[in-house]
mmCIF file of all heavy atoms in Angstrom:
data_model
loop_
_atom_site.group_PDB
_atom_site.id
_atom_site.type_symbol
_atom_site.label_atom_id
_atom_site.label_comp_id
_atom_site.label_asym_id
_atom_site.label_seq_id
_atom_site.Cartn_x
_atom_site.Cartn_y
_atom_site.Cartn_z
ATOM 1 N N GLY X 1061 -20.089 -27.365 7.852
ATOM 2 C CA GLY X 1061 -20.084 -27.840 9.197
ATOM 3 C C GLY X 1061 -19.056 -28.979 9.471
ATOM 4 O O GLY X 1061 -19.059 -29.683 10.423
ATOM 5 N N GLN X 1062 -18.126 -29.169 8.566
ATOM 6 C CA GLN X 1062 -17.090 -30.187 8.593
ATOM 7 C C GLN X 1062 -15.846 -29.626 9.356
ATOM 8 O O GLN X 1062 -14.704 -29.532 8.762
ATOM 9 C CB GLN X 1062 -16.691 -30.656 7.205
ATOM 10 C CG GLN X 1062 -17.827 -31.363 6.446
ATOM 11 C CD GLN X 1062 -18.012 -32.854 6.935
ATOM 12 O OE1 GLN X 1062 -17.244 -33.332 7.880
ATOM 13 N NE2 GLN X 1062 -18.992 -33.413 6.470
ATOM 14 N N ARG X 1063 -15.884 -29.387 10.687
ATOM 15 C CA ARG X 1063 -14.853 -28.706 11.342
ATOM 16 C C ARG X 1063 -13.639 -29.706 11.501
ATOM 17 O O ARG X 1063 -12.475 -29.244 11.348
ATOM 18 C CB ARG X 1063 -15.299 -28.349 12.804
ATOM 19 C CG ARG X 1063 -14.241 -27.600 13.529
ATOM 20 C CD ARG X 1063 -14.714 -26.744 14.508
ATOM 21 N NE ARG X 1063 -15.334 -25.545 13.963
ATOM 22 C CZ ARG X 1063 -15.595 -24.468 14.713
ATOM 23 N NH1 ARG X 1063 -15.387 -24.454 16.113
ATOM 24 N NH2 ARG X 1063 -16.205 -23.440 14.144
ATOM 25 N N ALA X 1064 -13.894 -30.922 11.741
ATOM 26 C CA ALA X 1064 -12.745 -31.864 11.892
ATOM 27 C C ALA X 1064 -11.916 -31.945 10.612
ATOM 28 O O ALA X 1064 -10.704 -31.932 10.593
ATOM 29 C CB ALA X 1064 -13.133 -33.264 12.363
ATOM 30 N N ALA X 1065 -12.638 -31.908 9.501
ATOM 31 C CA ALA X 1065 -11.920 -32.044 8.167
ATOM 32 C C ALA X 1065 -11.130 -30.776 7.964
ATOM 33 O O ALA X 1065 -9.939 -30.748 7.605
ATOM 34 C CB ALA X 1065 -12.970 -32.165 7.090
ATOM 35 N N ALA X 1066 -11.756 -29.652 8.305
ATOM 36 C CA ALA X 1066 -11.067 -28.386 8.249
ATOM 37 C C ALA X 1066 -9.725 -28.283 9.104
ATOM 38 O O ALA X 1066 -8.709 -27.945 8.656
ATOM 39 C CB ALA X 1066 -11.943 -27.172 8.632
ATOM 40 N N GLU X 1067 -9.869 -28.732 10.340
ATOM 41 C CA GLU X 1067 -8.753 -28.836 11.256
ATOM 42 C C GLU X 1067 -7.688 -29.768 10.672
ATOM 43 O O GLU X 1067 -6.452 -29.455 10.910
ATOM 44 C CB GLU X 1067 -9.172 -29.390 12.602
ATOM 45 C CG GLU X 1067 -9.866 -28.311 13.529
ATOM 46 C CD GLU X 1067 -8.965 -27.020 13.680
ATOM 47 O OE1 GLU X 1067 -7.858 -27.236 13.928
ATOM 48 O OE2 GLU X 1067 -9.481 -25.942 13.452
ATOM 49 N N SER X 1068 -8.033 -30.835 10.006
ATOM 50 C CA SER X 1068 -6.990 -31.707 9.556
ATOM 51 C C SER X 1068 -6.301 -31.148 8.354
ATOM 52 O O SER X 1068 -5.040 -31.256 8.279
ATOM 53 C CB SER X 1068 -7.695 -33.106 9.264
ATOM 54 O OG SER X 1068 -7.720 -33.340 7.928
ATOM 55 N N ILE X 1069 -6.998 -30.212 7.559
ATOM 56 C CA ILE X 1069 -6.256 -29.472 6.566
ATOM 57 C C ILE X 1069 -5.206 -28.499 7.138
ATOM 58 O O ILE X 1069 -4.070 -28.441 6.783
ATOM 59 C CB ILE X 1069 -7.201 -28.828 5.612
ATOM 60 C CG1 ILE X 1069 -8.071 -29.847 4.858
ATOM 61 C CG2 ILE X 1069 -6.599 -27.932 4.654
ATOM 62 C CD1 ILE X 1069 -9.271 -29.201 4.078
ATOM 63 N N ARG X 1070 -5.709 -27.797 8.092
ATOM 64 C CA ARG X 1070 -4.854 -26.776 8.765
ATOM 65 C C ARG X 1070 -3.637 -27.479 9.433
ATOM 66 O O ARG X 1070 -2.551 -26.934 9.282
ATOM 67 C CB ARG X 1070 -5.716 -26.002 9.839
ATOM 68 C CG ARG X 1070 -6.819 -25.124 9.219
ATOM 69 C CD ARG X 1070 -7.447 -24.248 10.219
ATOM 70 N NE ARG X 1070 -8.519 -23.637 9.600
ATOM 71 C CZ ARG X 1070 -9.783 -23.803 9.988
ATOM 72 N NH1 ARG X 1070 -10.133 -24.606 10.939
ATOM 73 N NH2 ARG X 1070 -10.784 -23.167 9.278
ATOM 74 N N ALA X 1071 -3.906 -28.619 10.052
ATOM 75 C CA ALA X 1071 -2.820 -29.224 10.756
ATOM 76 C C ALA X 1071 -1.815 -29.775 9.684
ATOM 77 O O ALA X 1071 -0.627 -29.730 9.875
ATOM 78 C CB ALA X 1071 -3.297 -30.414 11.535
ATOM 79 N N ALA X 1072 -2.307 -30.236 8.560
ATOM 80 C CA ALA X 1072 -1.428 -30.765 7.457
ATOM 81 C C ALA X 1072 -0.605 -29.658 6.864
ATOM 82 O O ALA X 1072 0.645 -29.830 6.573
ATOM 83 C CB ALA X 1072 -2.248 -31.462 6.364
ATOM 84 N N VAL X 1073 -1.242 -28.468 6.714
ATOM 85 C CA VAL X 1073 -0.404 -27.256 6.295
ATOM 86 C C VAL X 1073 0.675 -26.858 7.237
ATOM 87 O O VAL X 1073 1.740 -26.743 6.870
ATOM 88 C CB VAL X 1073 -1.486 -26.152 5.996
ATOM 89 C CG1 VAL X 1073 -0.643 -24.821 5.674
ATOM 90 C CG2 VAL X 1073 -2.376 -26.367 4.689
ATOM 91 N N ALA X 1074 0.264 -26.749 8.438
ATOM 92 C CA ALA X 1074 1.166 -26.371 9.474
ATOM 93 C C ALA X 1074 2.348 -27.399 9.590
ATOM 94 O O ALA X 1074 3.492 -26.990 9.726
ATOM 95 C CB ALA X 1074 0.480 -26.242 10.771
ATOM 96 N N GLY X 1075 1.995 -28.693 9.447
ATOM 97 C CA GLY X 1075 2.978 -29.774 9.569
ATOM 98 C C GLY X 1075 4.005 -29.690 8.427
ATOM 99 O O GLY X 1075 5.202 -29.760 8.589
ATOM 100 N N ALA X 1076 3.488 -29.464 7.228
ATOM 101 C CA ALA X 1076 4.321 -29.312 6.041
ATOM 102 C C ALA X 1076 5.276 -28.112 6.109
ATOM 103 O O ALA X 1076 6.400 -28.208 5.859
ATOM 104 C CB ALA X 1076 3.485 -29.150 4.682
ATOM 105 N N ILE X 1077 4.738 -27.037 6.669
ATOM 106 C CA ILE X 1077 5.583 -25.795 6.814
ATOM 107 C C ILE X 1077 6.671 -26.159 7.935
ATOM 108 O O ILE X 1077 7.846 -25.860 7.639
ATOM 109 C CB ILE X 1077 4.662 -24.606 7.284
ATOM 110 C CG1 ILE X 1077 3.733 -24.225 6.275
ATOM 111 C CG2 ILE X 1077 5.536 -23.490 7.773
ATOM 112 C CD1 ILE X 1077 4.263 -23.641 4.957
ATOM 113 N N ARG X 1078 6.202 -26.813 9.017
ATOM 114 C CA ARG X 1078 7.134 -27.091 10.077
ATOM 115 C C ARG X 1078 8.268 -27.963 9.645
ATOM 116 O O ARG X 1078 9.346 -27.816 9.988
ATOM 117 C CB ARG X 1078 6.322 -27.771 11.229
ATOM 118 C CG ARG X 1078 7.054 -27.678 12.567
ATOM 119 C CD ARG X 1078 6.048 -27.935 13.716
ATOM 120 N NE ARG X 1078 5.278 -29.164 13.424
ATOM 121 C CZ ARG X 1078 3.954 -29.264 13.367
ATOM 122 N NH1 ARG X 1078 3.228 -28.114 13.579
ATOM 123 N NH2 ARG X 1078 3.403 -30.331 13.052
ATOM 124 N N GLU X 1079 7.941 -28.875 8.745
ATOM 125 C CA GLU X 1079 9.012 -29.755 8.204
ATOM 126 C C GLU X 1079 9.748 -29.315 7.043
ATOM 127 O O GLU X 1079 10.381 -30.028 6.411
ATOM 128 C CB GLU X 1079 8.386 -31.251 8.103
ATOM 129 C CG GLU X 1079 8.140 -31.746 9.466
ATOM 130 C CD GLU X 1079 7.613 -33.163 9.421
ATOM 131 O OE1 GLU X 1079 7.684 -33.797 8.453
ATOM 132 O OE2 GLU X 1079 6.993 -33.479 10.467
ATOM 133 N N GLY X 1080 9.628 -27.999 6.670
ATOM 134 C CA GLY X 1080 10.517 -27.484 5.677
ATOM 135 C C GLY X 1080 9.980 -27.402 4.290
ATOM 136 O O GLY X 1080 10.765 -27.111 3.306
ATOM 137 N N TRP X 1081 8.721 -27.884 4.060
ATOM 138 C CA TRP X 1081 8.164 -27.665 2.687
ATOM 139 C C TRP X 1081 7.949 -26.286 2.358
ATOM 140 O O TRP X 1081 7.337 -25.625 3.077
ATOM 141 C CB TRP X 1081 6.891 -28.511 2.537
ATOM 142 C CG TRP X 1081 7.134 -29.948 2.559
ATOM 143 C CD1 TRP X 1081 7.502 -30.813 3.596
ATOM 144 C CD2 TRP X 1081 7.133 -30.838 1.401
ATOM 145 N NE1 TRP X 1081 7.775 -31.989 3.190
ATOM 146 C CE2 TRP X 1081 7.546 -32.161 1.826
ATOM 147 C CE3 TRP X 1081 6.827 -30.736 0.050
ATOM 148 C CZ2 TRP X 1081 7.472 -33.351 0.949
ATOM 149 C CZ3 TRP X 1081 6.925 -31.778 -0.852
ATOM 150 C CH2 TRP X 1081 7.276 -32.960 -0.301
ATOM 151 N N ARG X 1082 8.460 -25.837 1.245
ATOM 152 C CA ARG X 1082 8.401 -24.425 0.861
ATOM 153 C C ARG X 1082 8.081 -24.303 -0.680
ATOM 154 O O ARG X 1082 8.811 -24.935 -1.535
ATOM 155 C CB ARG X 1082 9.786 -23.745 1.128
ATOM 156 C CG ARG X 1082 10.218 -23.777 2.521
ATOM 157 C CD ARG X 1082 9.466 -22.717 3.363
ATOM 158 N NE ARG X 1082 9.917 -22.666 4.744
ATOM 159 C CZ ARG X 1082 9.489 -23.436 5.761
ATOM 160 N NH1 ARG X 1082 8.562 -24.259 5.542
ATOM 161 N NH2 ARG X 1082 10.003 -23.316 6.942
ATOM 162 N N THR X 1083 7.095 -23.445 -1.065
ATOM 163 C CA THR X 1083 7.020 -22.979 -2.382
ATOM 164 C C THR X 1083 8.019 -21.849 -2.560
ATOM 165 O O THR X 1083 8.467 -21.251 -1.591
ATOM 166 C CB THR X 1083 5.626 -22.684 -2.831
ATOM 167 O OG1 THR X 1083 5.044 -21.931 -1.679
ATOM 168 C CG2 THR X 1083 4.837 -23.817 -3.062
ATOM 169 N N ALA X 1084 8.219 -21.399 -3.845
ATOM 170 C CA ALA X 1084 9.227 -20.349 -4.002
ATOM 171 C C ALA X 1084 9.045 -18.994 -3.225
ATOM 172 O O ALA X 1084 9.947 -18.428 -2.678
ATOM 173 C CB ALA X 1084 9.294 -19.993 -5.479
ATOM 174 N N ASP X 1085 7.722 -18.609 -3.008
ATOM 175 C CA ASP X 1085 7.442 -17.400 -2.399
ATOM 176 C C ASP X 1085 7.785 -17.321 -0.932
ATOM 177 O O ASP X 1085 7.976 -16.325 -0.285
ATOM 178 C CB ASP X 1085 5.895 -17.088 -2.527
ATOM 179 C CG ASP X 1085 5.031 -18.237 -2.010
ATOM 180 O OD1 ASP X 1085 5.379 -19.431 -2.261
ATOM 181 O OD2 ASP X 1085 4.087 -17.947 -1.311
ATOM 182 N N ILE X 1086 7.942 -18.628 -0.228
ATOM 183 C CA ILE X 1086 8.170 -18.638 1.117
ATOM 184 C C ILE X 1086 9.587 -19.300 1.424
ATOM 185 O O ILE X 1086 9.901 -19.565 2.544
ATOM 186 C CB ILE X 1086 7.038 -19.213 1.989
ATOM 187 C CG1 ILE X 1086 6.698 -20.661 1.366
ATOM 188 C CG2 ILE X 1086 5.837 -18.457 2.003
ATOM 189 C CD1 ILE X 1086 5.738 -21.511 2.256
ATOM 190 N N ALA X 1087 10.331 -19.564 0.312
ATOM 191 C CA ALA X 1087 11.646 -20.119 0.509
ATOM 192 C C ALA X 1087 12.650 -19.071 0.884
ATOM 193 O O ALA X 1087 12.563 -17.948 0.342
ATOM 194 C CB ALA X 1087 12.023 -20.942 -0.699
ATOM 195 N N SER X 1088 13.616 -19.422 1.677
ATOM 196 C CA SER X 1088 14.746 -18.425 1.960
ATOM 197 C C SER X 1088 15.600 -18.443 0.754
ATOM 198 O O SER X 1088 15.631 -19.399 -0.089
ATOM 199 C CB SER X 1088 15.492 -18.929 3.139
ATOM 200 O OG SER X 1088 14.784 -19.358 4.107
ATOM 201 N N PRO X 1089 16.246 -17.296 0.532
ATOM 202 C CA PRO X 1089 17.249 -17.310 -0.652
ATOM 203 C C PRO X 1089 18.210 -18.539 -0.591
ATOM 204 O O PRO X 1089 18.757 -18.859 0.384
ATOM 205 C CB PRO X 1089 18.063 -16.009 -0.377
ATOM 206 C CG PRO X 1089 17.239 -15.148 0.537
ATOM 207 C CD PRO X 1089 16.329 -16.142 1.397
ATOM 208 N N GLY X 1090 18.215 -19.209 -1.841
ATOM 209 C CA GLY X 1090 19.201 -20.357 -1.906
ATOM 210 C C GLY X 1090 18.522 -21.645 -1.453
ATOM 211 O O GLY X 1090 19.013 -22.736 -1.730
ATOM 212 N N GLU X 1091 17.410 -21.534 -0.740
ATOM 213 C CA GLU X 1091 16.654 -22.662 -0.254
ATOM 214 C C GLU X 1091 16.004 -23.413 -1.412
ATOM 215 O O GLU X 1091 15.431 -22.808 -2.313
ATOM 216 C CB GLU X 1091 15.708 -22.322 0.880
ATOM 217 C CG GLU X 1091 15.179 -23.438 1.763
ATOM 218 C CD GLU X 1091 14.185 -23.022 2.781
ATOM 219 O OE1 GLU X 1091 13.741 -21.828 2.731
ATOM 220 O OE2 GLU X 1091 13.960 -23.781 3.733
ATOM 221 N N LYS X 1092 15.897 -24.805 -1.248
ATOM 222 C CA LYS X 1092 15.246 -25.536 -2.393
ATOM 223 C C LYS X 1092 13.717 -25.385 -2.244
ATOM 224 O O LYS X 1092 13.172 -25.277 -1.100
ATOM 225 C CB LYS X 1092 15.621 -27.037 -2.168
ATOM 226 C CG LYS X 1092 15.047 -27.917 -3.197
ATOM 227 C CD LYS X 1092 15.413 -29.386 -2.882
ATOM 228 C CE LYS X 1092 14.699 -30.334 -3.719
ATOM 229 N NZ LYS X 1092 13.305 -30.367 -3.686
ATOM 230 N N SER X 1093 12.974 -25.197 -3.371
ATOM 231 C CA SER X 1093 11.560 -25.049 -3.153
ATOM 232 C C SER X 1093 10.804 -26.060 -4.008
ATOM 233 O O SER X 1093 11.380 -26.764 -4.914
ATOM 234 C CB SER X 1093 11.119 -23.625 -3.551
ATOM 235 O OG SER X 1093 11.466 -23.327 -4.937
ATOM 236 N N GLN X 1094 9.580 -26.322 -3.545
ATOM 237 C CA GLN X 1094 8.654 -27.276 -4.292
ATOM 238 C C GLN X 1094 7.731 -26.600 -5.123
ATOM 239 O O GLN X 1094 7.337 -25.425 -4.827
ATOM 240 C CB GLN X 1094 7.922 -28.188 -3.208
ATOM 241 C CG GLN X 1094 8.860 -29.289 -2.549
ATOM 242 C CD GLN X 1094 9.567 -28.671 -1.330
ATOM 243 O OE1 GLN X 1094 9.041 -27.887 -0.653
ATOM 244 N NE2 GLN X 1094 10.683 -29.202 -1.056
ATOM 245 N N GLY X 1095 7.094 -27.289 -6.109
ATOM 246 C CA GLY X 1095 6.098 -26.656 -6.930
ATOM 247 C C GLY X 1095 4.782 -26.724 -6.330
ATOM 248 O O GLY X 1095 4.523 -27.309 -5.191
ATOM 249 N N THR X 1096 3.748 -26.168 -7.065
ATOM 250 C CA THR X 1096 2.324 -26.105 -6.572
ATOM 251 C C THR X 1096 1.853 -27.642 -6.306
ATOM 252 O O THR X 1096 1.268 -27.874 -5.257
ATOM 253 C CB THR X 1096 1.448 -25.595 -7.754
ATOM 254 O OG1 THR X 1096 2.046 -24.364 -8.164
ATOM 255 C CG2 THR X 1096 0.062 -25.361 -7.246
ATOM 256 N N ARG X 1097 2.086 -28.567 -7.299
ATOM 257 C CA ARG X 1097 1.573 -29.868 -7.087
ATOM 258 C C ARG X 1097 2.166 -30.656 -6.032
ATOM 259 O O ARG X 1097 1.613 -31.360 -5.271
ATOM 260 C CB ARG X 1097 1.847 -30.722 -8.384
ATOM 261 C CG ARG X 1097 0.816 -30.280 -9.481
ATOM 262 C CD ARG X 1097 0.832 -31.435 -10.482
ATOM 263 N NE ARG X 1097 0.028 -30.961 -11.589
ATOM 264 C CZ ARG X 1097 0.100 -31.357 -12.841
ATOM 265 N NH1 ARG X 1097 0.993 -32.321 -13.080
ATOM 266 N NH2 ARG X 1097 -0.685 -30.933 -13.752
ATOM 267 N N GLU X 1098 3.572 -30.404 -5.893
ATOM 268 C CA GLU X 1098 4.292 -31.098 -4.822
ATOM 269 C C GLU X 1098 3.799 -30.764 -3.406
ATOM 270 O O GLU X 1098 3.581 -31.518 -2.528
ATOM 271 C CB GLU X 1098 5.752 -30.911 -4.930
ATOM 272 C CG GLU X 1098 6.501 -31.549 -6.131
ATOM 273 C CD GLU X 1098 6.184 -30.890 -7.442
ATOM 274 O OE1 GLU X 1098 6.042 -29.608 -7.495
ATOM 275 O OE2 GLU X 1098 5.953 -31.553 -8.425
ATOM 276 N N MET X 1099 3.627 -29.386 -3.298
ATOM 277 C CA MET X 1099 3.189 -28.901 -1.979
ATOM 278 C C MET X 1099 1.824 -29.546 -1.700
ATOM 279 O O MET X 1099 1.548 -29.975 -0.653
ATOM 280 C CB MET X 1099 3.056 -27.279 -1.943
ATOM 281 C CG MET X 1099 2.673 -26.741 -0.702
ATOM 282 S SD MET X 1099 3.675 -27.081 0.662
ATOM 283 C CE MET X 1099 4.511 -25.498 0.959
ATOM 284 N N ALA X 1100 0.852 -29.357 -2.641
ATOM 285 C CA ALA X 1100 -0.486 -29.831 -2.345
ATOM 286 C C ALA X 1100 -0.410 -31.479 -2.119
ATOM 287 O O ALA X 1100 -1.134 -31.965 -1.260
ATOM 288 C CB ALA X 1100 -1.363 -29.631 -3.517
ATOM 289 N N GLY X 1101 0.431 -32.071 -2.892
ATOM 290 C CA GLY X 1101 0.525 -33.476 -2.763
ATOM 291 C C GLY X 1101 0.944 -33.930 -1.384
ATOM 292 O O GLY X 1101 0.465 -34.857 -0.695
ATOM 293 N N GLU X 1102 1.900 -33.158 -0.834
ATOM 294 C CA GLU X 1102 2.469 -33.422 0.536
ATOM 295 C C GLU X 1102 1.330 -33.143 1.497
ATOM 296 O O GLU X 1102 1.139 -33.928 2.479
ATOM 297 C CB GLU X 1102 3.708 -32.541 0.835
ATOM 298 C CG GLU X 1102 4.179 -32.460 2.280
ATOM 299 C CD GLU X 1102 4.650 -33.856 2.748
ATOM 300 O OE1 GLU X 1102 4.850 -34.788 2.017
ATOM 301 O OE2 GLU X 1102 4.749 -34.019 4.069
ATOM 302 N N ILE X 1103 0.544 -32.044 1.387
ATOM 303 C CA ILE X 1103 -0.558 -31.773 2.301
ATOM 304 C C ILE X 1103 -1.616 -32.922 2.186
ATOM 305 O O ILE X 1103 -2.080 -33.425 3.247
ATOM 306 C CB ILE X 1103 -1.103 -30.447 1.937
ATOM 307 C CG1 ILE X 1103 -0.077 -29.300 2.344
ATOM 308 C CG2 ILE X 1103 -2.422 -30.095 2.739
ATOM 309 C CD1 ILE X 1103 -0.337 -27.937 1.816
#
Side-chain angles (χ1 to χ4, degrees):
Q1062 295 281 356
R1063 181 157 288 195
E1067 278 306 314
S1068 107
I1069 295 174
R1070 292 185 188 114
V1073 167
I1077 296 292
R1078 202 164 46 238
E1079 285 178 25
W1081 286 73
R1082 300 284 183 270
T1083 41
D1085 55 317
I1086 51 172
S1088 318
E1091 196 179 12
K1092 182 179 171 306
S1093 59
Q1094 286 89 29
T1096 310
R1097 285 198 184 157
E1098 289 74 36
M1099 178 62 104
E1102 170 62 13
I1103 293 166

